[in-house]
Amino acid sequence: MKKILTLLLSAGLVATATQAVSSPKEDLEKFRMYYEQRFPGIQLDDFGNGPYALDASKRLQWESMEEFPPYEDYIDKGSEIWETPFKNGKSFASCFGKDPSKVRVKYPHWDKASSQVVTLEGDINKCLKDNGEKPFGWKKGKIAHLGAFLGYEARGQKINVVIPDDPKALEAYEEGKHFYYAKRGQLNLACADCHIQYPGHRVRGQLLSTGLGQTTHFPVFRAKWSKAAANSDGMGTLHRRYGGCNKQVRARPFKAQSRQYRNLEFFHTYMSNGLAINAPGYRE
Amino acid sequence: MKKLITAFGLALLITGCNATTPEKPASMKAQYEVALKNAQAAVEKAAAVDGEWRDIRWKKSKKRYLPSAIKAAEAGDYKKALKLLEIATFQAEAGYKQAMEQKNAGPRF
């Protein structure tokens, strides 16, 4: 009996250890395979369309919305921001390069020098500060407009987040992964509970999307945000959405661009590697 | 026997009086101060492990149990303050416990 128990315990320990050391590549394979098996009829890129890939009636509504997309004006505003020179005569092109279509696909990435995950929004504000300009707010407004423009320019390119073989980068990735799977808040829910266990199910009137493809369409125009804004601007960044999700499970949200959310973005976007960028998106 | 009955009656009277006498504000204030310290420590402990819940003190929460308790105490309503601190402490301790339990959370399909 003792031997059997020891054997079972050892097997359990080995299994736990294997899970703990799974590489990002292995995580990605399991993540993708899960959704492909659960939703066999859906093409990989279609996961980037969130709930509209899962429900025919929602898809019809969304497609009609896309005929005159509400985010269009904000792409134009973002383009203006991109083109407008700073007081010192330089512009965003001085920081990101002349071709705006090559920007979005580089983010998020690991920066070895600062030992942290760098996001597009982080670099937009760094560029402003470096050129003596006032940084934008982190979650909405100009930062989301510029992100919408850069996302639109990058449409069709494949997400390609690289997790370098650097212990600190792997630590950041693991922290992001842990965040995604850890239950939090008074409702005791993890990101994974809604987006891995229950995609396709409803939470009140909303259809839960799959974790796969969730980052491809950010920044996003949300009807809910538009309704709440005095100027009807419904654009928001990924970190705005993270904060909203945490708030909904009654956890205290972290600040946009906090280490926690940057690392979550690192993991979360890596899980959508190979999917096409389709930003900006429209969501309810 | 008479003495025993008298003593028992007296004891009952004293207990009854104690139960019905409202607590003096001074003792409520002392209780509040201890409860506030405990609540603050519990909240910091939960925050240190990223386990703080929304309604304890977050500026956009409508409830904000901890700041509301302080406000109630400032207005002299220690009873309300203590009740709010009880909730804040409970939520902070639960948030910490949750974060500890989720320490090894990972992929589950």
Side-chain angles (χ1 to χ4, degrees):
Chain A
M1 186 62 186
K2 256 189 182 176
K3 275 184 185 169
I4 295 172
L5 270 175
T6 317
L7 204 70
L8 281 172
L9 275 172
S10 316
L13 281 175
V14 169
T16 314
T18 312
Q19 192 184 21
V21 295
S22 64
S23 70
K25 199 178 163 220
E26 286 166 338
D27 289 341
L28 176 59
E29 280 164 8
K30 284 179 198 160
F31 195 81
R32 181 162 305 170
M33 196 191 296
Y34 169 76
Y35 288 110
E36 284 173 347
Q37 284 173 355
R38 183 153 172 185
F39 301 102
I42 298 176
Q43 296 296 307
L44 185 62
D45 272 344
D46 213 13
F47 282 103
N49 294 324
Y52 312 122
L54 310 177
D55 184 279
S57 139
K58 288 259 178 199
R59 190 177 186 102
L60 275 175
Q61 291 171 38
W62 169 65
E63 280 172 350
S64 64
M65 187 63 86
E66 284 285 330
E67 283 174 24
F68 298 100
Y71 51 73
E72 213 163 30
D73 286 349
Y74 302 104
I75 296 173
D76 294 341
K77 283 186 182 197
S79 172
E80 273 174 45
I81 295 168
W82 176 265
E83 298 292 340
T84 308
F86 304 140
K87 284 178 211 119
N88 64 6
K90 291 184 179 178
S91 69
F92 280 107
S94 323
C95 302
F96 292 102
K98 281 180 186 168
D99 187 350
S101 72
K102 303 258 165 65
V103 180
R104 164 66 194 266
V105 78
K106 293 176 190 165
Y107 294 93
H109 66 254
W110 178 253
D111 180 54
K112 201 175 176 180
S114 62
S115 281
Q116 62 176 11
V117 174
V118 173
T119 62
L120 175 60
E121 289 79 10
D123 267 1
I124 286 173
N125 272 349
K126 185 179 181 296
C127 182
L128 287 167
K129 277 193 223 163
D130 289 350
N131 286 286
E133 299 284 325
K134 195 181 162 204
F136 298 150
W138 286 120
K139 295 192 280 192
K140 56 187 177 181
K142 288 181 177 176
I143 206 157
H145 303 161
L146 182 53
F149 167 67
L150 295 171
Y152 186 74
E153 290 290 314
R155 272 190 178 184
Q157 292 174 47
K158 304 285 181 192
I159 299 230
N160 184 29
V161 175
V162 177
I163 314 287
D165 191 15
D166 171 340
K168 284 182 179 172
L170 285 168
E171 202 180 300
Y173 167 84
E174 285 296 331
E175 194 190 10
K177 182 166 101 181
H178 173 260
F179 195 109
Y180 198 80
Y181 291 101
K183 290 174 185 287
R184 61 188 67 247
Q186 197 179 0
L187 301 191
N188 200 35
L189 287 169
C191 308
D193 286 324
C194 288
H195 302 292
I196 290 184
Q197 313 302 329
Y198 292 104
H201 291 253
R202 283 180 188 275
V203 173
R204 294 185 177 171
Q206 302 294 322
L207 200 66
L208 291 166
S209 59
T210 57
L212 179 61
Q214 272 179 327
T215 60
T216 60
H217 59 276
F218 275 88
V220 74
F221 182 98
R222 287 191 77 205
K224 183 186 170 183
W225 289 341
S226 173
K227 209 175 159 189
N231 59 1
S232 302
D233 180 353
M235 293 301 304
T237 63
L238 183 61
H239 290 209
R240 183 180 181 190
R241 192 71 191 93
Y242 285 160
C245 283
N246 284 170
K247 194 179 109 184
Q248 282 166 333
V249 302
R250 299 188 193 166
R252 181 181 177 151
F254 295 92
K255 286 186 174 165
Q257 300 302 319
S258 59
R259 186 199 77 247
Q260 289 89 343
Y261 283 170
R262 278 185 288 109
N263 290 347
L264 175 61
E265 183 179 338
F266 198 36
F267 162 78
H268 199 191
T269 312
Y270 178 78
M271 286 296 117
S272 291
N273 264 4
L275 268 75
I277 292 169
N278 56 351
Y282 168 82
R283 292 293 183 272
E284 286 176 17
Chain B
M1 188 61 186
K2 253 188 186 177
K3 274 183 187 171
L4 200 68
I5 291 170
T6 316
F8 187 67
L10 208 64
L12 268 180
L13 198 70
I14 291 166
T15 321
C17 282
N18 268 348
T20 50
T21 307
E23 280 189 72
K24 286 178 186 170
S27 77
M28 292 278 276
K29 191 182 174 194
Q31 273 185 50
Y32 161 76
E33 279 163 1
V34 173
L36 178 64
K37 269 190 183 172
N38 289 341
Q40 283 169 331
V43 174
E44 290 309 325
K45 196 175 164 189
V49 292
D50 291 348
E52 189 178 332
W53 288 3
R54 183 189 68 184
D55 295 329
I56 299 176
R57 60 175 177 178
W58 183 51
K59 62 180 177 182
K60 288 185 183 170
S61 162
K62 286 174 189 163
K63 291 170 182 156
R64 305 186 79 219
Y65 296 115
L66 192 59
S68 302
I70 295 168
K71 214 174 158 185
E74 280 168 359
D77 191 348
Y78 291 109
K79 198 177 168 191
K80 185 180 174 186
L82 281 166
K83 184 77 200 158
L84 292 169
L85 286 178
E86 195 186 326
I87 301 171
T89 308
F90 170 79
Q91 291 209 352
E93 286 171 354
Y96 177 80
K97 196 177 162 198
Q98 179 187 50
M100 289 297 101
E101 282 172 1
Q102 293 296 308
K103 221 173 169 182
N104 298 315
R108 49 194 156 84
F109 298 105

